Structures are given as C-alpha cells and as structure tokens.
Amino acid sequence: MHGEHTGERSTDPASVIDVDELPDGLVVTDGDGHVLTVNRAAARLTGVTREQAAGRHLRDVFSFHDHDGRDWWKWLDTYGGLRTRTRQPELPLRTLGGQEMLVAARLVREPRRGGEVVRVVITLRDTGARARLERSRADLVSTVAHELRSPLTSVKGFTATLLAKWTRFTDDQKLVMLETVNADADRVTRLITELLDVSRIESGRLEIHRQVVDIPARISKVIAGRVAAGEPDDRFLLQVRGELPETWLDQDKIDQVLANLVENAVRHGRGTVTIVVEPSEWGVTVSVRDQGEGIPPELVTRVFRQFWRGNARRRGGTGLGLFIVKGLIEAHGGTISVQRGPEGGAEFRFMVPTGTPDFA
C-alpha cells in the first residue's frame, strides 16, 4: 500500500510517507474491515499495537460506538449507500473501555469513481485537547460575565440615580458617585485590555515595538504609582546589581509586566516587596520577591495558567495577569519562572535578552 510503513525507506523522500510520522492516529483496513496497519499515534491513543491488530477485524480490536451505543463500523456500511460516497465526517466515538476520541474515515475505491471499496483509511484524534479548549473558553466567558456584571451594575445604578435625583444630592455626594462610576469604567477597560492581550497571545499576533528601555527607571515609575495610590513608601525596595547592558524592549509591555508582578506581590504577599535587577549571561534578570507564604510546590506548574488565583481567600482580579505576563516575556524572547524567595515568599524571576534588533 502506498504510504504504508513497511520497514523499508524509499530513496525518494517525497514518494513514501512513513505513517508513524503522522501526528494523528491512523488505522487502515481492507474493504471488509480487516486491519492492514496501525500507526504509532493510533497505538498510543488506543493501547492496541500494529502487531496486535493486523489481520483482525476492526470491531474485534477497536469496537467504536457512538453515544447511543451503535456499532460505528456497521453504521459506516462500506458497501451500502451511494457508490460515490468517499468519506465519513469526523464524529466523537467511544471504545468499549469508555475512551472517547474523534474518528473520521476515507473510503478508497477502485476505480476511484464509483468502484468497490478496497481500503478504509481511519483517522483518530484525542478529544482531550478539544475538551480543554472548550473548557477554557467556557471559563473565559464565565469569568468575563462575572467580572463585568459588578462594575456595570454600579455604573448603571449611580448614573440612573444621578439622572433621576440630581438636585437632591450635594456636590460632595455627586463627586463620590462620579468617582465610583469612573473607577468602575476603568475596571471594565482593564478587563477588555486583558481579554485582547489573551487573544493576541493565544493567536500569536502579539506585536513587539522595540526601543531602548531603562528597566530600573520603569520599575521606579511603577513603585511611584503604587505609593501615590496609598501604599507606604517603605513597602518597596529596588536593588540594581552590577552594570546593566542595553536592552531593546517594548516599553509599554514591560511596564505591564512589572506592574502585574508588583501588584501580585502586594496582593498575595506580605512585608517588603523587593525588586532586584542584575545582568545575566544572556541579558537582564529581574526578580520580584515578597515575604508572604509563598507558593506551594504542587501549585507551581499552575501559576502561569489562565484563571489562576494565588489565594482563594483573597478576591479580586480575573486570574489572567500572570498568564499575560508569561506571554509578554516570551514574545520578547525571554523566560519567566517562579520559586521560593530567600525570605520565604514567592519570587518571580524573568530574563529578557540583550542585543540591538535588526531593523533591516
């Protein structure tokens, strides 16, 4: 069979495809359903090897059924239906063991137009990735709905009250209401910005506009903003160690990274928030440390996922911040990690590479 793995390799790489190189599972049967070959991906998905399946009927080794319990091979009916039929669209099917996968089929006829079915080429795909994507999208919709409901309810309530009873309120009362409306509008704007960032990161459409960036100066600006918002000045400590090389970065996105990491340390940590900037072998390393409880080792792998919240007892935030931080750092060609800090809290450390970008 053309394309079947036989253990021999053609001298022309384009003439034969080794089915074990395919990313999806592949099972090929003759027209009666007897298995001719099973590739490595299909064996991994089903637990049935080529040697175990070869020569046996598909129903005896895989036994695919739909959600109503119908035998997929019998329903496929290779010799029934129109003689022009050549494919079966992808369907979610289950094995007798309860494993679910996406299955599609191609009916190979000879002659090609209207001939008898001589082979059935079946592709298998794990439903796990699709299920995770669907859950992620459902979580995103749920989070957006929840996060938008509160500020929009506030905006609607205060504006309706002001319009209906404007003359009954003092100027101070009006000012408080309008400040609340303004803060809630900013909250909605931040959420929309986060969602756009997530969309760009996931689709690979994040654009980086590089310029020379003074990282310690950007950190000082972030700290000044936190202090202006009411945090005590002695809550933050900036340390610059050694002579820093020139870095070409997207200033707005680095500001966003630094602001997210500092806010995360303030919200979830305790004590002094220490930011250390130092040169490294390939670039500049920035560490943001707090003196809180830290992150348990079993949760470290979840930190940069969407919707992760460090402390369930502390509310606020969408759980998208650290996911976005990781995407922004990686878009610069850098890396980020989290570990236990020297004083017991969490330490987020990221590295951005140095070097002048090629503008040609």
Side-chain angles (χ1 to χ4, degrees):
M1 185 189 80
H2 181 71
E4 182 178 346
H5 177 65
T6 62
E8 298 180 359
R9 301 223 179 232
S10 169
T11 56
D12 179 4
S15 64
V16 177
I17 297 175
D18 186 341
V19 296
D20 283 337
E21 296 174 355
L22 298 175
D24 292 334
L26 181 76
V27 177
V28 182
T29 75
D30 63 17
D32 294 321
H34 295 94
V35 177
L36 300 174
T37 191
V38 176
N39 77 342
R40 187 175 295 128
R44 185 170 58 251
L45 282 172
T46 63
V48 179
T49 65
R50 180 186 294 113
E51 291 74 21
Q52 292 171 328
R56 300 175 63 188
H57 197 280
L58 183 78
R59 286 182 296 185
D60 295 331
V61 286
F62 296 110
S63 189
F64 296 122
H65 290 75
D66 65 15
H67 289 282
D68 295 323
R70 292 178 296 185
D71 183 323
W72 178 75
W73 179 263
K74 184 176 180 180
W75 180 76
L76 182 64
D77 189 16
T78 55
Y79 291 108
L82 296 174
R83 296 178 72 87
T84 56
R85 185 167 63 105
T86 59
R87 61 187 293 269
Q88 169 59 51
E90 190 172 68
L91 293 171
L93 301 177
R94 296 180 186 273
T95 64
L96 286 179
Q99 183 179 8
E100 185 172 303
M101 59 191 67
L102 298 169
V103 181
R106 184 82 177 181
L107 307 181
V108 180
R109 296 178 180 273
E110 289 185 5
R112 181 177 297 180
R113 294 181 179 275
E116 297 288 337
V117 174
V118 294
R119 283 190 304 278
V120 181
V121 181
I122 302 164
T123 58
L124 312 176
R125 292 199 298 140
D126 185 9
T127 59
R130 177 176 291 188
R132 286 191 294 272
L133 179 61
E134 290 175 351
R135 285 196 300 270
S136 177
R137 288 174 176 169
D139 288 342
L140 186 61
V141 170
S142 175
T143 298
V144 170
H146 175 77
E147 294 294 331
L148 285 176
R149 184 182 296 115
S150 177
L152 289 179
T153 299
S154 172
V155 168
K156 175 62 178 176
F158 279 120
T159 52
T161 300
L162 285 170
L163 287 171
K165 304 177 181 179
W166 179 264
T167 57
R168 300 185 187 182
F169 296 110
T170 66
D171 288 346
D172 288 343
Q173 289 173 324
K174 293 174 184 175
L175 180 62
V176 170
M177 290 185 182
L178 289 173
E179 286 176 341
T180 303
V181 168
N182 185 61
D184 284 330
D186 286 343
R187 183 176 164 189
V188 171
T189 301
R190 285 195 301 271
L191 175 60
I192 293 172
T193 300
E194 286 185 342
L195 294 174
L196 290 173
D197 286 337
V198 169
S199 174
R200 293 186 184 110
I201 289 168
E202 290 187 329
S203 64
R205 293 185 290 106
L206 196 65
E207 295 183 358
I208 301 297
H209 304 285
R210 295 182 185 269
Q211 65 185 81
V212 177
V213 173
D214 183 339
I215 294 178
R218 307 318 299 173
I219 296 172
S220 295
K221 183 178 179 181
V222 170
I223 292 174
R226 300 295 307 191
V227 172
E231 294 288 342
D233 185 53
D234 60 0
R235 179 81 193 272
F236 305 97
L237 175 63
L238 171 60
Q239 298 179 349
V240 181
R241 301 174 179 173
E243 185 176 350
L244 301 178
E246 187 178 80
T247 52
W248 287 74
L249 309 168
D250 187 313
Q251 182 168 288
D252 291 339
K253 291 180 174 57
I254 289 300
D255 284 351
Q256 187 176 351
V257 166
L258 295 169
N260 265 315
L261 291 179
V262 170
E263 180 180 358
N264 184 75
V266 169
R267 177 179 295 174
H268 299 292
R270 291 195 301 267
T272 302
V273 175
T274 303
I275 304 101
V276 179
V277 188
E278 54 194 335
S280 61
E281 183 179 1
W282 301 106
V284 173
T285 297
V286 179
S287 302
V288 181
R289 306 166 180 166
D290 63 63
Q291 297 174 326
E293 299 175 359
I295 300 171
E298 65 273 14
L299 297 181
V300 166
T301 58
R302 307 180 192 176
V303 167
F304 297 106
R305 295 180 185 175
Q306 293 183 29
F307 314 117
W308 184 83
R309 291 178 173 87
N311 191 332
R313 293 172 296 178
R314 301 191 181 190
R315 307 184 69 85
T318 60
L320 297 173
L322 292 176
F323 173 82
I324 293 171
V325 163
K326 184 174 186 288
L328 296 179
I329 291 297
E330 291 179 346
H332 281 85
T335 59
I336 186 168
S337 61
V338 61
Q339 59 195 28
R340 190 172 183 82
E343 299 182 54
E347 176 180 341
F348 287 84
R349 177 181 294 180
F350 71 85
M351 186 279 293
V352 285
T354 57
T356 305
D358 183 5
F359 291 107

